Amino acid sequence: MKNNIKVKRAELNLTQQDLADQLAVSRQTVNAIEKGKYDPSLPIAFKLANVFQCAIEDLFQPE
């Protein structure tokens, strides 16, 4: 699944660790999500949408 998490994170000047702390996950998890190696669980997807104040559909697109 494609995503634009890295772009959204950069827009807010957040590091991967900053985002990980907000999501209560590891920095490695954020890295894996950004690289498309890991699709987040629904609760994490909702947390991401909350952090970036957008809909989940705005963050993730099927390939």
Side-chain angles (χ1 to χ4, degrees), residues 19-30:
L19 182 55
D21 292 344
Q22 290 188 43
L23 300 175
V25 300
S26 69
R27 184 201 57 78
Q28 291 85 350
T29 298
V30 171

Side-chain angles (χ1 to χ4, degrees), residues 31-63:
N31 186 46
I33 292 170
E34 286 183 356
K35 291 185 175 193
K37 295 182 178 183
Y38 171 72
D39 291 333
S41 65
L42 196 52
I44 292 175
F46 274 106
K47 286 181 182 180
L48 282 164
N50 188 41
V51 168
F52 298 122
Q53 298 182 350
C54 66
I56 292 173
E57 295 85 357
D58 295 334
L59 297 174
F60 299 95
Q61 304 80 37
E63 291 190 65

